[in-house]
Amino acid sequence: MTEQLNTQTISSLKDKISTQLNLFYLALSFFTRIPVPKKMHYSVTLLNKANRYFSLVGIVIGLLLVVSYVGFNTFLPSNIAIILTMVLSLLLTGAFHEDGLADMADGIGGAFSIEKKLAIMKDSRIGTYGSVTLIMALLLKFTLLVELAALDSNHLLLAFILAASLSRAIAGSLISAMPYVTDEAQSKSKPLAQAQSTQELIILLFIGCVPLLWYSSEIAFSILLLLLVFRWLFKKWLMAKIGGFTGDCLGATQQIAELLIYLTLVAYLSADSFVGAAA
């Protein structure tokens, strides 16, 4: 009897692990071009549950960027290593979030009515607003990463993981905070997670915040405060402009949050370097 119960317990545990791995693979396949097992199961319900692992996917991406930067920087100057690492990041994700940022800029910047804004976002072509926004975002990211490398290369490596994870947590958290306004049947992108339970939100945010443990309480608090203020303001702005969120808006949220994290780290490290030099 005891052996039977143990067998059932082990079987149940394997099923639970298999279910969670499937959700993780689903999140990984949604956000990246990284191959996943062919036996992965997909459904809209599973995708909604998989959003709990969006920030975990960010940690995986961040670790891959760390390894790539260290490899490139072994043979090349840091600025070239950073450019190549950014290229790898775009290849890993298929420029998924960058595309969202550009499409959102085109849609909201190029029309007045909500219907027209959404129609422009669905257009695969990129316009002036999208081009300018994307170019400036990539230039700012490169500049901030170069500055981080010059100030402290260890902080650059940690920043890759923190920014990739926490920015996706902030973006994913909007799923439960706003209505989804894009007609999925007409959307040019893959189906998007449109529902989020409290449990999934907690897991998403917890994983996203784990890399903050590497930082001082002052830096961690400043980053969280800045991101919460940004999330609140961006949410109000999106509600006023289109009455909710689209997949492109989540991509834009991730990109802006990532830049804010890098910006905060550069500000703190620059201030520390200035104080140290003055002393």
Side-chain angles (χ1 to χ4, degrees), residues 40-65:
M40 180 194 76
H41 300 292
Y42 168 81
S43 72
V44 174
T45 300
L46 288 175
L47 180 58
N48 286 332
K49 292 181 179 180
N51 66 59
R52 69 183 68 181
Y53 292 127
F54 286 178
S55 49
L56 183 58
V57 171
I59 289 180
V60 172
I61 293 173
L63 289 172
L64 290 174
L65 296 183

Side-chain angles (χ1 to χ4, degrees), residues 221-234:
F221 176 79
S222 297
I223 290 174
L224 283 176
L225 180 62
L226 181 61
L227 290 179
L228 288 174
V229 171
F230 158 68
R231 181 185 181 277
W232 177 69
L233 291 174
F234 198 59

Side-chain angles (χ1 to χ4, degrees), residues 8-192:
Q8 292 176 346
T9 301
I10 292 174
S11 177
S12 176
L13 181 60
K14 286 182 178 179
D15 288 341
K16 290 179 180 178
I17 293 175
S18 177
T19 298
Q20 296 307 310
L21 278 175
N22 186 77
L23 293 178
F24 170 69
Y25 291 144
L26 188 54
L28 191 67
S29 68
F30 185 77
F31 274 124
T32 75
R33 300 294 177 87
I34 299 173
V36 298
K38 293 182 178 180
K39 62 181 181 180
M40 180 194 76
H41 300 292
Y42 168 81
S43 72
V44 174
T45 300
L46 288 175
L47 180 58
N48 286 332
K49 292 181 179 180
N51 66 59
R52 69 183 68 181
Y53 292 127
F54 286 178
S55 49
L56 183 58
V57 171
I59 289 180
V60 172
I61 293 173
L63 289 172
L64 290 174
L65 296 183
V66 166
V67 173
S68 67
Y69 174 78
V70 171
F72 292 138
N73 194 219
T74 303
F75 307 100
L76 298 167
S78 61
N79 59 337
I80 298 177
I82 287 171
I83 282 286
L84 293 177
T85 302
M86 289 177 63
V87 170
L88 178 64
S89 175
L90 294 172
L91 292 174
L92 283 173
T93 63
F96 189 62
H97 307 293
E98 289 80 3
D99 176 67
L101 176 65
D103 284 345
M104 189 202 73
D106 274 335
I108 294 182
F112 292 101
S113 70
I114 293 179
E115 292 76 15
K116 185 62 175 177
K117 292 177 194 292
L118 295 178
I120 293 175
M121 285 187 200
K122 294 172 187 174
D123 193 333
S124 60
R125 294 169 295 181
I126 186 171
T128 302
Y129 291 106
S131 298
V132 171
T133 300
L134 186 57
I135 290 171
M136 294 305 295
L138 290 173
L139 282 175
L140 179 57
K141 184 183 296 186
F142 172 72
T143 303
L144 292 171
L145 291 176
V146 168
E147 190 67 20
L148 277 173
L151 291 168
D152 191 324
S153 59
N154 289 328
H155 273 290
L156 172 64
L157 300 182
L158 295 176
F160 279 135
I161 300 173
L162 173 64
S165 177
L166 188 53
S167 64
R168 284 168 174 79
I170 294 298
S173 71
L174 289 177
I175 294 174
S176 61
M178 300 162 56
Y180 183 63
V181 295
T182 293
D183 181 1
E184 182 180 320
Q186 298 179 5
S187 177
K188 64 181 175 62
S189 62
K190 293 183 282 187
L192 177 74

Side-chain angles (χ1 to χ4, degrees), residues 188-262:
K188 64 181 175 62
S189 62
K190 293 183 282 187
L192 177 74
Q194 301 172 32
Q196 186 176 60
S197 69
T198 301
Q199 179 188 34
E200 285 149 7
L201 177 61
I202 291 172
I203 294 173
L204 172 76
L205 294 175
F206 175 78
I207 295 174
C209 289
V210 167
L212 285 172
L213 296 174
W214 293 325
Y215 295 92
S216 67
S217 57
E218 183 181 6
I219 294 178
F221 176 79
S222 297
I223 290 174
L224 283 176
L225 180 62
L226 181 61
L227 290 179
L228 288 174
V229 171
F230 158 68
R231 181 185 181 277
W232 177 69
L233 291 174
F234 198 59
K235 175 187 171 184
K236 290 191 65 175
W237 184 71
L238 287 176
M239 290 299 296
K241 293 294 182 179
I242 59 175
F245 77 92
T246 68
D248 291 327
C249 296
L250 296 187
T253 304
Q254 187 277 324
Q255 286 290 290
I256 298 171
E258 184 177 344
L259 290 172
L260 289 174
I261 291 170
Y262 292 143

